[in-house]
Amino acid sequence: MIRSSFYSALALGFTLLVTGCATKFERQAFNNEAASSIKKITVSQWSDQDEHSVVIVNHPGLSFGLIGGAIAAADTASKTKKLSEAMSPDSVKLSSAFYDKALPKLKQLGYEVIAVSAKRGETADTVKQRLNQAQGQDAALALGIQAAYLAAGASTDYFPSVVVGAELIDNKSKAVLYREAYHYGYNNGSKDIVHIEAAADCKFKDIDALTANIEKTRACLTASIELLVSQLVSDLKR
């Protein structure tokens, strides 16, 4: 029997997006002393998503092997399509909003920022190669964002899920100066991330409720930006 978790798959995919490694995302507190001489940084700037997945994390179908897994995947695809039809991804542009706020804030902290464009679908390793190309940088900041709507089970509410991961690596020593993951909204109970609460009314009982008031559905995602940027900037302050 195959037993899986969509949340685990999403988490692994996000870890690959930021670090390029299919391993647990191990946190590293900001090394202020080691980073004191860091002035110029390259920063990955990912393009906007072309859809926002709607996922039941512990889908009942996952208990029934390959066939059940296929049913769960089809259910996810159907609900994701329904949300995309009601709320065009072009009307959200969460990644653009995130970087539009984050990059100027990093500059205000005293970093000279060189943005390195990254397209969805590219591997983290490919993007890291560009991040590490000699541009006079002192460090490279792999910074990614991913959004979805998640429900723990088939009969539980959907919550917004916006995840930001950051990894700062010294250009000379290759030491990890900082590595963190921030999860806004959906709470999987992990102690290996920084969890940020969404507004109390940002929950939806089913896909029909999720698509009934698109302004609210969109707002529950975009409300994450200010909170996530503030947390990131607070952590990287020297």
Side-chain angles (χ1 to χ4, degrees):
M1 178 183 293
I2 293 177
R3 178 69 180 173
S4 183
S5 164
F6 271 118
Y7 192 83
S8 296
L10 287 173
L12 175 59
F14 186 73
T15 299
L16 287 167
L17 177 73
V18 175
T19 69
C21 300
T23 58
K24 180 181 178 181
F25 195 97
E26 295 183 0
R27 301 167 71 185
Q28 168 67 52
F30 183 50
N31 191 330
N32 204 321
E33 182 177 354
S36 60
S37 62
I38 300 298
K39 300 297 182 185
K40 182 182 290 188
I41 59 174
T42 51
V43 182
S44 55
Q45 184 172 2
W46 289 88
S47 60
D48 288 296
Q49 295 174 230
D50 57 10
E51 65 179 17
H52 298 95
S53 296
V54 180
V55 179
I56 297 175
V57 177
N58 299 301
H59 197 287
L62 297 175
S63 297
F64 301 99
L66 289 173
I67 294 176
I71 292 172
D75 184 48
T76 295
S78 175
K79 289 174 178 174
T80 299
K81 181 181 179 181
K82 185 170 183 178
L83 178 61
S84 294
E85 289 173 346
M87 182 184 75
S88 168
D90 287 340
S91 72
V92 183
K93 293 189 177 296
L94 214 62
S95 291
S96 293
F98 174 73
Y99 290 108
D100 284 349
K101 284 188 176 292
L103 298 187
K105 291 288 186 182
L106 290 173
K107 292 177 182 178
Q108 289 175 15
L109 291 180
Y111 297 102
E112 181 181 343
V113 175
I114 302 172
V116 176
S117 297
K119 293 183 179 181
R120 301 278 170 177
E122 286 190 284
T123 66
D125 285 340
T126 298
V127 176
K128 277 192 170 184
Q129 287 177 10
R130 293 205 299 277
L131 275 179
N132 293 326
Q133 286 176 354
Q135 301 182 66
Q137 72 270 31
D138 302 304
L141 177 61
L143 184 63
I145 181 169
Q146 186 81 16
Y149 265 96
L150 306 182
S155 60
T156 60
D157 292 332
Y158 285 96
F159 293 89
S161 173
V162 185
V163 183
V164 165
E167 182 183 68
L168 181 67
I169 296 180
D170 185 278
N171 193 53
K172 292 181 180 179
S173 69
K174 303 305 178 184
V176 176
L177 303 176
Y178 174 70
R179 186 189 288 130
E180 189 59 275
Y182 312 106
H183 289 209
Y184 160 90
Y186 181 84
N187 186 358
N188 73 332
S190 173
K191 298 185 182 300
D192 295 325
I193 53 96
V194 174
H195 181 252
I196 300 172
E197 293 281 352
D201 65 340
C202 281
K203 57 182 180 181
F204 305 83
K205 67 178 183 178
D206 52 30
I207 184 62
D208 290 332
L210 194 58
T211 56
N213 184 346
I214 288 304
E215 291 302 319
K216 177 182 176 182
T217 302
R218 184 186 297 111
C220 285
L221 291 176
T222 58
S224 68
I225 297 301
E226 191 68 43
L227 298 171
L228 291 165
V229 170
S230 294
Q231 185 69 58
L232 174 70
V233 170
S234 176
D235 282 356
L236 292 177
K237 186 176 182 180
R238 295 175 292 186

